[in-house]
């Protein structure tokens, strides 16, 4: 159902790879607990060179594939200890030392086998969960072709669908997500045909149908499970007890049942019509099984059955002589051999060149047939000569013309691609492209050939099938019947049923009937259209069908709406009485294959950007990156750098949990979530930020806006939890307990509980997107949980966080006010950087209004910690705060256009150096300001630019003007200091 794209398949863990892992794993773990050695240098005596080396090794660990070097040699005891935890299907031992850096190979190994062994993805697991609800969620995977490897389009689909399945499962829904593969008739058969030709030098026609199908099944059984391995590698939480292949016996029975029912309803019937026919395969094929090759002009192509290449992309013009009068009508064609089947010449009724010829005749030069000249508006008078040869049996448009003008249809090319007896003895049995040259030569001899020109054209190309569901229709031959013209057909679920139907229909003895099954197979879209209900056991009314049909949602690409979705809708409604899914489509994604001409450019760009290859980023990073794009758009441009960024985000999470575990080891167990009530302003702020993040996830999941969820979670982890909260509570966690410090100890314990639950809940929120990493980290935090879990299992079956659990953590005022404190920290850091302060912790003055000072006082401790400030002094000219005014010579910054920050730089201050830096900033800022103002003076700026954009530009200009004013003030202060000196 998808076009195959060859990509490097994800690693499948072999025994050899497990051996490599058992040696490599120590490299990640040993840094925390190195082997005892008298030569091991202490942290205090470590040189700068050693520190730099460790940093390089750490970065290498993050970006390398993980198998480049082995690391220290283990003892046999250590080998047994580590490898015992990595046996397939066994739960990993997360009590082992925590590696210093994140590595996807380390994290991903082992978890999926354990999930599958425990049956967490089966709906039967639902009743065992305490948070189970009486709700169902089901949908089908768009079944990928069995022929080979998944590509990024599949990865995108799996990332989205698995996130939805895991989310609903964690919400307590009874979830069924069935794995499946499409037999991919064309693609699979062509793969096997090439294999047989390559290995045995045999064509498909050298085998009987049964023999060939045995070869296909043999290939499928050997190679067909590769996709299932890749789906597991992607972490797809599919129920592997219910795999569904479209050629399985049960599914094949459903296809037959559907066909028979549609025939019985009169929705499938036999009729005369023009079909796509493959002469090489001697089979009709559907329109969607025809690919078009665009030719710009004369092109030589290889054709099966011909030793020499055949010429395409040309158009031949020849003349038909008028009957009974002088003159001729010239016609053009890209297939001159079909002129033996011409039955008329068509012109446009308004074409002045031919108005006197309406109803006249031309004489066919080879068959002596009279060809009427007919008038029809279907003719394009501007194309070619304006006159069109009509060959009803060999052209779609001509077939329609024959119906409108009651023309007969003569087949002059047989099913095997040779000319029929209707062409005369000189062409009978000649292959069609050889006949083309003979026809042109004969036209030249009769002086009817006019010219041959290069001509752009679309060339239809096919591979048709023995591999697939053979149509359950049978041609009937009656004993002693004298009528051989009319074909008699019946259909049935089995040949026996078809025989009984034929006996009733034609009133004969069943023993006097000979049946021949239609050799054609149904195209794969027919069977895949049945997937949503056939995968649940239809037509039998099994329990799965009753519970999980219709599916809860359909998630697929826009390129499949016509081919797959439309058929699912029609057949689902007809055969089950219900639509196959309940909700509207939520995703439109185009999966396109790279044009061959662009491949060279792409390869050159890849070699330039990634000379050593694309780094291994892992499943979690790839899934998170894919889900972070707005998938409802027509297409996405996946950036490798974005996937790398998500890899770094994984390491950020890893380090945050590493910090949390270290803190937990030095404190008493955290209180339960319900008993954890934040005390400090920073505790209240992070709690409220988490509450708001959970609310964003709730709302966005319900509207299937996964990119909103990933953005919210990334922002919380990086910008709130790691960059702010962890840094702000480090001093709190380091303070030691004593009898005289009961309050500080209480703050420490509360901060520890808040940290634990913030990290734990955040991992739950991320679990649908990063199943491997979140499981690894959550399992390591689990021993510290105070929320009693009697039988702790897996994160993937834990309750998904809800705002109702965190209502006591919602503090909107702190959340809103802290934005001002964050801006003060940002400007303070900027001022420190300007003064090139690396180790100093200077004082900072904030000159502001009383209400602003009150807010900053609330977060004073965090501002000092995050901004690396010794002391924050608040000065209000209007009263309320009486800290002394800032000293002369301070570096000045502005926050929110109203708060002036003064950074004391008295110690070691270099006025000349500071003056040079300020002058440099002034010049750069003045240039930016000039450019911004010039944009506002563009013609029709007010009319063309939206109000929102203009307002943003006005704010930006005002901020730059304020910054320039501050720089000027600082330069004046420096001059005053110079005068005083």
């Amino acid at each position: 159902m998808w076009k195959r794209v060859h990509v490097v398949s994800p690693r499948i863990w072999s025994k050899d790879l497990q051996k490599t892992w058992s040696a490599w794993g120590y490299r990640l773990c040993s840094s925390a607990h190195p082997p005892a050695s008298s030569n091991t240098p202490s942290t205090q005596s470590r040189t700068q060179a050693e520190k730099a080396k460790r940093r390089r090794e750490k970065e290498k660990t993050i970006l390398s594939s993980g198998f480049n070097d082995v690391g220290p040699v283990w003892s046999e005891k250590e080998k047994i200890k580590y490898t015992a935890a990595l046996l397939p299907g066994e739960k990993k031992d997360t009590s082992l030392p925590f590696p210093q850096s994140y590595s996807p190979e380390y994290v991903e190994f082992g978890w999926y086998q354990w999930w599958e062994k425990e049956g967490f993805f089966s709906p039967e697991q639902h009743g065992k969960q305490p948070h189970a609800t009486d709700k169902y969620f089901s949908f089908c995977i768009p079944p990928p072709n069995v022929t080979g490897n998944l590509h990024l389009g599949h990865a995108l689909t799996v990332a989205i669908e698995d996130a939805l399945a895991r989310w609903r499962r964690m919400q307590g829904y009874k979830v069924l997500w069935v794995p499946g593969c499409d037999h991919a008739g064309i693609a699979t058969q062509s793969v096997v045909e090439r294999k047989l030709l390559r290995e045995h030098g045999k064509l498909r026609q050298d085998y009987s149908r049964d023999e060939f199908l045995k070869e296909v099944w043999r290939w499928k059984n050997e190679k067909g499970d590769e996709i299932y391995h890749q789906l597991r590698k992607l972490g797809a939480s599919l129920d592997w007890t219910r795999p569904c292949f479209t050629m399985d016996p049960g599914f094949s029975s459903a296809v037959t049942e559907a066909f028979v029912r549609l025939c019985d309803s009169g929705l499938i019937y036999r009729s005369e019509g023009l079909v796509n026919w493959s002469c090489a395969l001697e089979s009709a094929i559907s329109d969607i099984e025809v690919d078009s090759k665009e030719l710009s002009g004369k092109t030589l192509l290889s054709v099966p059955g011909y030793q020499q290449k055949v010429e395409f992309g040309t158009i031949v013009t020849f003349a038909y002589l008028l009957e009974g009068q002088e003159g001729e009508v010239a016609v053009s064609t890209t297939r001159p051999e079909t002129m033996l089947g011409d039955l008329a010449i068509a012109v446009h009724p308004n074409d002045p060149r031919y108005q006197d010829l309406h109803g006249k005749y031309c004489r066919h030069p080879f068959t002596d047939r009279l060809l009427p000249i007919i008038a029809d508006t279907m003719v394009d008078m501007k194309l070619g000569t304006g006159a069109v040869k009509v060959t009803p049996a060999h052209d779609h448009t001509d077939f329609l013309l024959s119906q409108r003008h009651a023309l007969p249809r003569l087949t002059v090319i047989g099913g095997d691609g040779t000319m029929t007896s209707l062409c005369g003895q000189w062409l009978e049995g000649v292959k069609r492209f050889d006949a083309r040259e003979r026809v042109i030569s004969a036209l030249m001899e009769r002086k009817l050939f006019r010219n041959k020109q290069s001509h752009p054209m679309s060339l239809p190309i096919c591979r048709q099938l023995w591999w697939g569901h053979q149509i359950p229709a049978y041609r009937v031959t009656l004993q002693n019947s004298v009528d051989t013209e009319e074909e008699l057909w019946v259909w049935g679920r089995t040949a026996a049923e078809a025989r009984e139907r034929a006996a009733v229909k034609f009133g004969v003895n069943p023993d006097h009937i000979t049946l021949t099954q239609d050799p054609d197979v149904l195209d794969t879209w027919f069977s895949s259209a049945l997937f949503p209900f056939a995968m649940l056991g239809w037509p039998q009314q099994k329990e799965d069908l009753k519970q999980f049909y219709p599916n809860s949602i359909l998630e697929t690409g826009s390129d499949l709406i016509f081919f797959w979705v439309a058929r699912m809708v029609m057949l689902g409604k007809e055969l089950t009485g219900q639509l196959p899914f309940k909700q509207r489509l939520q995703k439109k994604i185009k999966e396109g294959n790279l044009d061959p001409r662009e491949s060279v450019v792409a390869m050159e760009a890849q070699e330039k950007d990634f000379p050593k290859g694309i780094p291994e980023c892992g499943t979690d990073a790839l899934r998170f990156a894919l889900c972070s794009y707005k998938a409802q758009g027509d297409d996405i441009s996946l950036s490798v750098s974005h996937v790398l960024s998500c890899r770094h985000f994984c390491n950020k999470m890893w380090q945050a949990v590493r910090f949390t575990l270290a803190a937990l080891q030095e404190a008493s167990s955290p209180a339960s979530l319900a008993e954890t009530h934040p005390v400090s302003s920073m505790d209240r702020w992070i709690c409220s930020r988490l509450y708001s993040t959970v609310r964003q996830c709730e709302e966005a999941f319900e509207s299937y806006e996964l990119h909103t969820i990933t953005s919210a979670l990334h922002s919380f982890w990086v910008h709130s939890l790691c960059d702010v909260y962890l840094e702000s509570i480090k001093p709190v966690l380091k303070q030691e307990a004593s009898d005289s410090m009961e309050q500080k100890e209480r703050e420490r314990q509360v901060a520890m509980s808040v940290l634990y639950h913030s990290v734990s809940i955040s991992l739950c929120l991320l679990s649908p997107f990063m199943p491997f990493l979140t499981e690894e980290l959550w399992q390591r935090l689990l021993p510290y949980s105070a929320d009693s879990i009697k039988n702790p299992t897996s994160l993937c079956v834990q309750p998904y966080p809800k705002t109702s659990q965190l209502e006591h953590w919602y503090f909107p005022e702190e959340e809103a006010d802290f934005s001002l404190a964050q801006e003060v920290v940002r400007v303070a850091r900027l001022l420190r950087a300007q003064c090139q302060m690396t180790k100093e912790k200077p004082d900072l003055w904030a000159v502001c209004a009383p209400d602003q000072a009150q807010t900053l006082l609330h977060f004073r401790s965090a501002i000092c910690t995050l901004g690396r400030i010794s002391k924050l002094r608040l000065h209000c000219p209007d009263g309320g705060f009486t800290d002394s005014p800032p000293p002369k010579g301070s570096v000045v910054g502005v926050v929110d256009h109203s708060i002036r920050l003064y950074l004391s730089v008295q110690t070691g201050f270099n006025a000349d150096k500071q003056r040079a830096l300020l002058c440099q900033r002034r010049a750069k800022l003045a240039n930016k300001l000039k450019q911004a103002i010039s944009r506002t003076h563009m013609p029709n700026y007010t009319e063309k630019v939206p109000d929102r954009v203009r307002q943003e530009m006005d704010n930006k200009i005002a901020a730059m003007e304020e910054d320039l004013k501050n720089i000027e003030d600082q330069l004046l202060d420096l001059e005053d200091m110079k005068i005083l000196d």
Side-chain angles (χ1 to χ4, degrees), residues 100-140:
Q100 284 195 331
S101 299
Y102 164 72
S103 172
E105 290 87 355
Y106 174 85
V107 168
E108 293 171 20
F109 179 68
W111 286 121
Y112 198 95
Q113 293 92 330
W114 177 63
W115 291 333
E116 189 175 342
K117 180 184 177 183
E118 294 296 320
F120 292 140
F121 306 149
S122 170
E124 284 73 27
Q125 185 77 209
H126 172 262
K128 303 176 183 178
Q129 306 306 322
H131 62 289
T133 63
D134 189 23
K135 295 180 180 179
Y136 298 86
F137 185 77
S138 65
F139 62 123
C140 62

Side-chain angles (χ1 to χ4, degrees), residues 129 131-133 163-173 175 701 761 763-769 774 778 794-802:
Q129 306 306 322
H131 62 289
T133 63
L164 297 176
R166 287 177 178 272
W167 165 58
R168 286 301 193 194
R169 193 178 291 114
M170 293 176 75
Q171 282 194 316
Y173 281 61
V175 175
F701 253 131
I761 292 171
L763 291 173
C764 288
L765 294 172
L766 270 168
S767 177
F769 303 96
T774 54
W778 184 82
S794 169
L795 175 58
C796 65
V797 290
Q798 294 306 303
Y800 198 75
K802 298 184 291 185

